[in-house]
Amino acid sequence: MRVAVLDDYQGVALKLVDWGTLPGVTVVPFRDHVHDPDQLVARLQGYDAVMRIRERTEFPRSVLERLPDLKLFLATGMRNARSLDLEAADDLGITVCTTNALHQTTVEVTWALIFELMRNLPAETESLRAGGWQVGLGRGLAGKTLGIVGLGNMGIPVAKIGQVLGMNVVAWSANLTPERTAPHDVTCVTKDELFATSDVITLHLPHSDTTEGTVGARELGLMKPRSVIVNTARPALWDEAALYAALREERIGGAGMDVYMVEPLPDDHPFRHLRNVVATPHIGFVTEENFEIFYRQTHENLRAYLDGTPINVISGSRPFLPDSQVAQQMHAQKLASSKRA
């Protein structure tokens, strides 16, 4: 079996687990990212399995249909439905297995971005490296209002940290109610109130048809001139063009971001250069602990698949079976059908 590991940016695919314990398996990592679907299809010809790091590379039906050798998709993390066509995988008999993931790592990056924005850390560290000293006045968080868009698995721990720092925490999402926010000492507000009153806004919604474009020009226009907004969730939650305009014209205080509509971010993208932007290269989940989980459980998933007993399966109806077992399975299916008849 030939296994392609995509988007191995850190070059760890051959280091974190011992693939040699799986006889007959050849693992080939690719450190670069392929944007073009035709190039992706060409790259993956002849591979029996693909390991994908989270959602870095998308696999729509149009790509899966052009990979006739693909039998096994080794996903990492649980959110795959929008970037991997699971229905197509089922139709094509591609078994999809996945792994667990730690979520608090993204909470950590959320707060790192908030601290950098509010305390003006990029400018201060840049000055220090250049031989200078203090260049501005940062802003403290105590007494400020933290607005959380989406009070779920990510939003709740973000709220707790804000409360420890002495912030007033409010939240909104389409189905959020005061009854759901009260146990967390968070005030449920309207969307407009959150954007108009918050000093720091952070997005923690999943990407769906109803959440896409949650933050557009109208919402950005409600923000206070010095307020900042952070997105470590999904890039489609905000309108990147509207955000760029607000930042370029300095109508808001700044933005922190870890997710982008095109990744890796193009060299000439304005988010790389705006002074009121703090940007990280989608590292919310990129920790030693998470990657150890991804690779260890992927190794286990691959071993189980080769043994004919796939585990952690989220899609796919044709697990690997030796030819003799395939014949036995077909015979058993015919017997079952005749009995029902």
Side-chain angles (χ1 to χ4, degrees):
M1 172 170 278
R2 300 184 72 220
V3 181
V5 179
L6 299 182
D7 302 310
D8 178 29
Y9 298 151
Q10 290 82 13
V12 297
L14 300 179
K15 301 175 183 177
L16 292 181
V17 292
D18 183 3
W19 300 105
T21 60
L22 301 175
V25 172
T26 301
V27 175
V28 180
F30 295 92
R31 297 194 61 175
D32 62 324
H33 177 79
V34 174
H35 288 283
D36 182 71
D38 292 337
Q39 293 179 9
L40 178 64
V41 168
R43 169 170 287 186
L44 295 178
Q45 292 301 312
Y47 282 93
D48 306 286
V50 169
M51 178 182 177
R52 180 181 73 164
I53 304 300
R54 290 296 297 266
E55 300 167 65
R56 289 174 176 171
T57 297
E58 295 191 354
F59 281 84
R61 179 181 289 271
S62 58
V63 168
L64 294 174
E65 287 179 336
R66 297 164 64 191
L67 298 172
D69 298 314
L70 186 61
K71 306 176 186 69
L72 175 65
F73 196 100
L74 297 161
T76 51
M78 296 308 295
R79 291 194 179 276
N80 291 282
R82 292 194 68 90
S83 59
L84 168 61
D85 193 326
L86 296 174
E87 182 179 347
D90 260 334
D91 294 343
L92 296 166
I94 300 169
T95 301
V96 181
C97 303
T98 193
T99 70
N100 293 322
L102 302 173
H103 301 294
Q104 71 270 18
T105 59
T106 300
V107 173
E108 294 163 2
V109 172
T110 297
W111 277 103
L113 293 172
I114 292 172
F115 290 141
E116 290 209 32
L117 286 165
M118 295 297 285
R119 295 302 299 268
N120 198 30
L121 293 182
E124 299 293 351
T125 54
E126 181 181 340
S127 173
L128 186 70
R129 288 196 179 100
W133 201 236
Q134 300 173 11
V135 295
L137 296 175
R139 288 184 288 162
L141 292 168
K144 300 290 195 303
T145 296
L146 172 65
I148 301 177
V149 179
L151 194 68
N153 291 335
M154 298 291 184
I156 290 171
V158 167
K160 289 180 179 178
I161 295 171
Q163 290 162 346
V164 169
L165 294 170
M167 301 186 77
N168 169 47
V169 183
V170 301
W172 169 88
S173 69
N175 299 312
L176 199 61
T177 64
E179 290 74 24
R180 291 173 57 192
T181 62
H184 307 290
D185 295 323
V186 173
T187 303
C188 183
V189 296
T190 66
K191 184 181 184 182
D192 285 4
E193 184 179 354
L194 184 145
F195 279 87
T197 62
S198 297
D199 300 288
V200 177
I201 298 169
T202 179
L203 310 183
H204 298 286
L205 293 172
H207 181 193
S208 68
D209 292 340
T210 57
T211 63
E212 190 165 314
T214 293
V215 182
R218 191 186 75 83
E219 288 77 18
L220 293 167
L222 294 172
M223 291 175 59
K224 295 188 288 187
R226 299 187 70 199
S227 294
V228 301
I229 185 167
V230 171
N231 187 359
T232 58
R234 293 291 184 271
L237 297 181
W238 60 17
D239 181 333
E240 281 194 351
L243 177 65
Y244 170 67
L247 291 166
R248 185 191 65 233
E249 298 165 15
E250 297 185 352
R251 289 186 271 113
I252 61 174
M257 58 194 73
D258 188 47
V259 290
Y260 312 90
M261 292 302 293
V262 177
E263 296 185 5
L265 200 64
D267 293 346
D268 59 351
H269 198 288
F271 286 158
R272 288 185 180 270
H273 310 293
L274 287 172
R275 301 287 296 182
N276 51 359
V277 166
V278 176
T280 48
H282 203 161
I283 58 171
F285 64 88
V286 182
T287 64
E288 292 178 0
E289 295 80 4
N290 252 335
F291 273 56
E292 286 170 359
I293 291 172
F294 293 164
Y295 279 92
R296 174 174 50 80
Q297 293 187 356
T298 292
H299 187 276
E300 294 168 358
N301 290 342
L302 180 53
R303 180 186 293 278
Y305 176 83
L306 292 171
D307 288 341
T309 55
I311 58 175
N312 302 317
V313 175
I314 58 173
S315 184
S317 56
R318 301 177 199 167
F320 170 81
L321 291 172
D323 290 343
S324 60
Q325 292 185 36
V326 172
Q328 293 172 12
Q329 186 183 66
M330 291 176 64
H331 179 65
Q333 289 172 347
K334 288 180 180 178
L335 284 176
S337 298
S338 62
K339 289 179 180 179
R340 286 195 299 269

